[in-house]
Amino acid sequence: MRDGLARIPVRLLAGGFLSAALFLASPAHANASSLLWGVEDGEPAHIEIVDGGTYQITFGQSAPISLATSFGPSPFGNLYRIVETEEGVVRELLTTVYPHREGGDAEFAWIEAGSYELDILTPVFPPPPDQQVFDRGALGRLALTLFARTAEAAIIRPPEEERIREVMHFTVEETSQGCAEQCFSNVLFLPGIESSRLYRPDYSGGTERLWEPGKNQDVEDLFLTSDGAGIRSDVYAKEGDVVDELPIVGKNIYKSFIADMNALKSSGHISDWQAISYDWRLSLDDVLRYGNEIDGRIYYAGDLRATSTPYIIQEVRRLAATSKSGRVTIVAHSNGGLVAKYLTVVLGDEADDLIDKMIFVAVPQVGTPMAIAAGLHGYDQENAFGLITSESTARSFASTSPMFYHLLPSEAYLDAVDTPVVSFDDELPDWVDRYGASVSSQLSLDHFLTDEYGRIDSADGNTDQPIRLSPDLLAEAKAIHATLDSWQQPAGVELIQIAGWGVPKTVSGVTYKKTSSGDVQPEPDFTIDGDGTVVTPSALWTNNSSKKKYWLNLRSYNTDHPFQVSLGLNPLKHSNILEASNLIAFIVDVLKEDQKEISEYGYFSTVAPPAGTNRLRFSLHSPLTLDIYDDFGNHTGVSTTTGQIEEQIPGTYYVQFGDIKYIFTDTGNPLHIVMTGYDAGAFTFQIGQLLGDSTVASTTFSNVPTSPSTIAYFNVSSDVTTSSNLFVDSDGDGAFDSAYASSTGQLIVEEESSSSGSSDAPAANGPVAGSIDGQVLGASTSATTSEAATTTAIPEFMDVVAISSSSTISEAISTPPPKKTPRKPSPSKGTDFQTTVASSTGAAPAQPTEPNLWSRMFRWIIKKLSL
């Protein structure tokens, strides 16, 4: 061991003084060099060592070593190992390293773990003997003797420490034993949009979290300018800080996935993994061009974002350098897949050296129609991740977010999918004349999204009316999608694509209709062919030779795992798909190179699952809440205590679009629907039975008067054929004031009190409500009651039944509520409905449900509440 700087012979030719002086006068450079060790295409694998890194290296193997640096000409470096002795810390000189030479580099073998330093020095001419480039013949030896050695004897060399241009510090670890059999790759995880927490300084030495937001102001602090740049310049992400769970509503997002990745690292199967947090508001260009890490804070926007080593690219290289395989497996969820695809474009040829596998989970590769609803109307953002953000705030935010524009259906999507992404009802002739009856091409979609006709400001509270999107941001997104839509994984990189399927609230398009007041109202079109956000064709878009494309049947998974709701968890869909235990097991096995037959994981398939099971969809156009309870006290709707969506009944999903509420359920289970008024007006309630995406039976109750005191009840024992009548307590006094026939949707009125022949029954003047094979099932009607609501507003049904001491509802629970004598529906209409449904489904005809059924249900609810 030598504990100082080794003396390196220096030979100067005549005139060398000037060269040395020029180098000594040069300013110091920032770290820009690297140490190369290993073989490009062989073993040991080629490793690039940079300042600050930690590297796993096979000890005892000799391999070429060389220096990569911009200093020159002919720089060289001294490699030292840092050793602690009783006298203190000393540096042991191991070897001198030179730039790569075509004739072959010197070889070097690492033998000990520890800390190392590489001093990169400015040379003094001529270079050391083994770097002489002139002819070594007799004339050369004579010149060397006469000039160089004579000059050396007369020159005092500058001290080595004065010639150091850069010092690299790094750590070397021995590659784990047994790697020859288990050389598993490190993991880089790229989460979806809204899945990285974002912060700003609180200017008291701490931080304030802006996402997940606790209020609208948090989201407004994240607003961007019209060209997609941050209004605040101090927003940042934190290293590894992705959304694991949402304690406010008890939702897990990545919690289980994170735990399993940590377990893989702890067990030694992988050396390391990293969840990448990024500023998902920004464009893919910004996310991969910037990302300056300062003390654990990562800036992608603002004055501190500039860096020569963008964070995500830096992490890919770091994980690859410490990986047992020398490469990284990327797991990407949702928007993270777009980041992953664009990452390989930025890396170019380096991508194949750094990445071995890419696993895409629910990635909107060519966009998804839900982005149209979210961008123009703020749809489903009020409860995105269960967080409270108004729809007008959400769409204002989205309208200037470049990343949102990446999620819009691209030209490739529109060319491949037949379903229109936007449609217009015939009652909107001006809109049809301007855009056509439907929008299904890139040109027509661009026109609709950026047009000014019928548009309002994004901050306007009327979220039914669409806003105008930015032509510039749309053009930038289209340019990026031109690259992404034709993307193929790099050669040598395995691609696995997984799509969630079976969540019936997946938006396939938006249909604009005319309201009774003459306004425009958007209504989502739904499909079961997706995960609630991303349609399956987009998630399985990329064609590749491996053809590893899988459908994950979320509908069956949710039905078979009712324990999730008992733990306070919502059913699995797009946002929390990585909580599926079988999906995590599959990913872990892929990482451990132990993938089993796909059938062994359950709920996976290599073809689309059959959509042959009936389901129900309840829709409510009204100023009422929509809640469903099952026989076990589970609830689906908006919680009265947290204000968040609950989906506790297995197989149910709640959606709200403006003032329209939807609940999707499976058939076969008794369900009890309660609707509670919060404003005056009228409501339309529809129950439909669907097979796949087609409605096979439905009944509509139209224009039923409502007030803040109204409570309406409806019951389904199994499917649409077992529906009860609709009962309405218009004044909240516990007595049902009116009832509507389940077969027709018509008001059931009292028998005539005189022989005058007059009748209180309204005429059936509505459109056909539903049919099977073209046969009429029932007609929607305009319905009225003669009694005005007079009681105090009651916001939620559960609040009503809990106040038993002062409410007449308690009397309705103990005794059958008073009711008017109903007039039975028209025999012909009732018979048509029953006959048609029975012949088509083989089910028994629907029977009117007497009000005392609700008395029994109320007793049961009170009993459950008292437990």
Side-chain angles (χ1 to χ4, degrees):
M1 179 184 299
R2 287 169 284 180
D3 56 355
L5 293 174
R7 293 177 57 86
I8 306 295
V10 178
R11 300 180 183 343
L12 290 177
L13 291 171
F17 295 103
L18 179 60
S19 299
L22 289 175
F23 277 111
L24 289 172
S26 300
H29 289 255
N31 293 343
S33 306
S34 59
L35 184 64
L36 307 177
W37 182 83
V39 183
E40 285 283 355
D41 298 310
E43 293 295 337
H46 183 268
I47 294 176
E48 181 179 6
I49 298 172
V50 298
D51 184 59
T54 299
Y55 303 91
Q56 288 197 340
I57 297 177
T58 303
F59 288 178
Q61 283 189 296
S62 294
I65 190 168
S66 60
L67 178 67
T69 182
S70 59
F71 301 131
S74 300
F76 63 95
N78 288 329
L79 178 63
Y80 297 88
R81 186 168 71 92
I82 309 303
V83 181
E84 293 187 10
T85 68
E86 294 180 356
E87 292 77 23
V89 178
V90 297
R91 303 199 307 168
E92 177 186 2
L93 178 63
L94 300 179
T95 188
T96 300
V97 186
Y98 302 98
H100 172 67
R101 292 177 293 177
E102 293 297 332
D105 298 317
E107 295 205 348
F108 175 78
W110 306 87
I111 57 173
E112 292 185 78
S115 299
Y116 289 79
E117 289 182 354
L118 179 68
D119 293 350
I120 300 174
L121 294 90
T122 299
V124 180
F125 290 102
D130 61 342
Q131 295 290 295
Q132 297 288 350
V133 295
F134 52 83
D135 178 65
R136 294 259 183 193
L139 184 59
R141 288 192 296 274
L142 178 61
L144 179 63
T145 301
L146 294 177
F147 297 101
R149 294 183 179 176
T150 302
E152 180 186 25
I155 294 172
I156 300 175
R157 296 174 306 169
E160 182 172 324
E161 57 267 25
E162 294 181 11
R163 294 160 45 214
I164 296 176
R165 307 306 306 278
E166 179 184 343
V167 178
M168 289 172 46
H169 308 269
F170 57 93
T171 302
V172 169
E173 299 175 349
E174 184 175 11
T175 301
S176 300
Q177 297 298 320
C179 180
E181 290 75 31
Q182 295 185 346
C183 294
F184 304 135
S185 298
N186 285 345
V187 177
L188 180 110
F189 174 57
L190 290 167
I193 196 169
E194 301 180 350
S195 297
S196 300
R197 295 187 173 100
L198 299 177
Y199 300 83
R200 70 169 177 85
D202 65 1
Y203 301 106
S204 298
T207 63
E208 179 177 338
R209 189 167 72 190
L210 301 177
W211 192 271
E212 313 94 310
K215 54 187 182 298
N216 280 341
Q217 179 61 47
D218 292 340
V219 179
E220 291 167 3
D221 276 347
L222 295 174
F223 275 12
L224 302 163
T225 63
S226 59
D227 59 354
I231 293 177
R232 296 191 66 101
S233 62
D234 56 357
V235 175
Y236 58 87
K238 290 184 180 180
E239 188 174 35
D241 193 7
V242 301
V243 178
D244 49 356
E245 61 181 331
L246 300 169
I248 298 176
V249 293
K251 286 185 180 179
N252 291 347
I253 303 299
Y254 297 133
K255 184 175 182 179
S256 298
F257 176 78
I258 290 171
D260 279 70
M261 293 302 101
N262 287 336
L264 279 179
K265 180 178 178 180
S266 298
S267 66
H269 285 94
I270 61 176
S271 299
D272 200 2
W273 83 284
Q274 183 65 53
I276 299 296
S277 52
Y278 62 93
D279 194 337
W280 39 264
R281 304 173 299 161
L282 308 176
S283 70
L284 295 177
D285 272 332
D286 285 347
V287 168
L288 291 167
R289 180 185 305 170
Y290 304 111
N292 184 22
E293 182 184 4
I294 304 175
D295 297 328
R297 299 180 178 185
I298 310 165
Y299 295 88
Y300 294 90
D303 299 337
L304 297 175
R305 69 179 183 173
T307 177
S308 59
T309 55
Y311 176 72
I312 295 180
I313 295 176
Q314 169 188 311
E315 285 300 286
V316 172
R317 290 171 176 162
R318 180 187 70 81
L319 288 169
T322 61
S323 177
K324 297 178 183 180
S325 69
R327 296 202 289 176
V328 172
T329 292
I330 293 178
V331 179
H333 171 233
S334 189
N335 185 72
L338 301 185
V339 178
K341 293 171 76 169
Y342 210 67
L343 171 63
T344 66
V345 175
V346 173
L347 289 174
D349 294 340
E350 190 182 5
D352 186 38
D353 296 331
L354 297 175
I355 304 167
D356 61 357
K357 298 183 185 71
M358 303 176 77
I359 303 173
F360 287 175
V361 180
V363 174
Q365 300 190 59
V366 288
T368 194
M370 183 174 168
I372 298 174
L376 299 186
H377 304 282
Y379 168 65
D380 205 32
Q381 298 304 294
E382 185 171 354
N383 290 286
F385 288 102
L387 307 171
I388 301 175
T389 305
S390 71
E391 290 181 339
S392 60
T393 299
R395 74 172 177 180
S396 294
F397 181 26
S399 66
T400 57
S401 170
M403 196 66 78
F404 153 74
Y405 286 79
H406 299 333
L407 302 179
L408 290 167
S410 68
E411 183 173 6
Y413 178 95
L414 296 166
D415 288 344
V417 179
D418 294 333
T419 304
V421 293
V422 178
S423 301
F424 303 95
D425 191 85
D426 291 340
E427 294 184 356
L428 296 171
D430 293 344
W431 293 74
V432 173
D433 289 344
R434 194 171 188 89
Y435 305 113
S438 62
V439 172
S440 55
S441 71
Q442 182 73 69
L443 184 63
S444 59
L445 180 59
D446 289 352
H447 180 211
F448 172 68
L449 295 177
T450 60
D451 198 15
E452 296 183 352
Y453 177 77
R455 308 311 162 95
I456 60 174
D457 185 82
S458 63
D460 194 298
N462 179 12
T463 54
D464 282 346
Q465 202 78 10
I467 64 172
R468 178 178 185 258
L469 298 185
S470 166
D472 293 339
L473 293 178
L474 183 61
E476 292 175 8
K478 287 170 59 180
I480 287 178
H481 263 292
T483 299
L484 296 182
D485 292 358
S486 59
W487 177 88
Q488 294 288 318
Q489 74 269 26
V493 175
E494 180 184 0
L495 175 65
I496 298 173
Q497 300 173 95
I498 302 166
W501 182 93
V503 180
K505 70 175 208 172
T506 308
V507 174
S508 61
V510 179
T511 296
Y512 289 86
K513 298 182 178 181
K514 187 176 182 179
T515 66
S516 58
S517 61
D519 296 329
V520 171
Q521 184 176 59
E523 294 188 16
D525 304 313
F526 296 105
T527 179
I528 199 170
D529 196 19
D531 60 16
T533 298
V534 177
V535 293
T536 302
S538 184
L540 300 179
W541 173 257
T542 302
N543 294 313
N544 62 91
S545 57
S546 64
K547 298 187 183 303
K548 291 191 175 180
K549 299 182 180 182
Y550 303 110
W551 283 256
L552 178 60
N553 193 330
L554 295 175
R555 182 183 183 186
S556 295
Y557 185 97
N558 289 329
T559 301
D560 294 345
H561 291 76
F563 69 90
Q564 290 192 159
V565 296
S566 68
L567 295 175
L569 305 178
N570 282 24
L572 296 184
K573 45 188 178 289
H574 178 80
S575 62
N576 60 350
I577 190 173
L578 276 169
E579 286 294 309
S581 57
N582 64 319
L583 173 58
I584 297 177
F586 171 79
I587 293 174
V588 167
D589 284 352
V590 170
L591 296 175
K592 293 166 60 178
E593 299 179 1
D594 188 29
Q595 181 179 338
K596 304 174 181 62
E597 291 293 329
I598 197 65
S599 59
E600 294 189 32
Y601 296 99
Y603 309 104
F604 274 95
S605 63
T606 55
V607 295
T613 305
N614 285 307
R615 51 194 169 86
L616 300 177
R617 180 178 66 201
F618 302 93
S619 61
L620 178 63
H621 296 62
S622 71
L624 286 86
T625 62
L626 178 62
D627 297 275
I628 291 186
Y629 302 88
D630 66 8
D631 284 344
F632 302 98
N634 296 313
H635 168 247
T636 290
V638 177
S639 169
T640 59
T641 55
T642 67
Q644 307 302 317
I645 290 175
E646 292 179 338
E647 295 169 322
Q648 296 177 343
I649 304 173
T652 63
Y653 304 88
Y654 179 93
V655 174
Q656 184 164 341
F657 196 136
D659 209 30
I660 309 175
K661 297 91 177 173
Y662 300 89
I663 292 182
F664 298 87
T665 76
D666 289 337
T667 56
N669 299 312
L671 297 170
H672 315 291
I673 295 89
V674 181
M675 295 168 277
T676 306
Y678 54 80
D679 200 357
F683 72 82
T684 296
F685 175 63
Q686 183 181 56
I687 172 176
Q689 185 163 314
L690 295 89
L691 183 62
D693 290 338
S694 301
T695 301
V696 296
S698 68
T699 298
T700 300
F701 306 89
S702 295
N703 299 323
V704 181
T706 184
S707 75
S709 302
T710 298
I711 305 175
Y713 310 96
F714 189 76
N715 185 62
V716 176
S717 298
S718 178
D719 59 16
V720 74
T721 69
T722 63
S723 300
S724 74
N725 293 334
L726 174 67
F727 298 96
V728 179
D729 176 6
S730 59
D731 53 10
D733 65 354
F736 300 116
D737 302 300
S738 54
Y740 299 80
S742 64
S743 59
T744 64
Q746 291 181 334
L747 176 66
I748 303 171
V749 297
E750 293 184 24
E751 295 289 351
E752 297 174 33
S753 58
S754 68
S755 59
S756 63
S758 63
S759 173
D760 295 329
N765 56 7
V768 173
S771 64
I772 295 179
D773 297 330
Q775 301 183 58
V776 175
L777 298 177
S780 61
T781 67
S782 297
T784 61
T785 62
S786 59
E787 300 181 24
T790 59
T791 58
T792 304
I794 302 171
E796 290 288 343
F797 169 67
M798 297 304 290
D799 291 340
V800 174
V801 299
I803 308 174
S804 59
S805 61
S806 59
S807 174
T808 57
I809 288 292
S810 61
E811 299 174 7
I813 294 172
S814 59
T815 60
K819 60 184 177 68
K820 298 176 182 178
T821 304
R823 170 178 291 172
K824 294 182 179 180
S826 167
S828 61
K829 288 186 177 180
T831 303
D832 288 346
F833 172 77
Q834 295 169 1
T835 303
T836 303
V837 172
S839 62
S840 300
T841 64
Q847 300 297 325
T849 303
E850 295 299 326
N852 61 7
L853 168 64
W854 294 104
S855 298
R856 294 193 298 271
M857 190 184 94
F858 295 157
R859 293 191 196 98
W860 176 85
I861 292 176
I862 289 295
K863 180 180 179 181
K864 295 293 290 187
L865 289 174
S866 64
L867 295 178

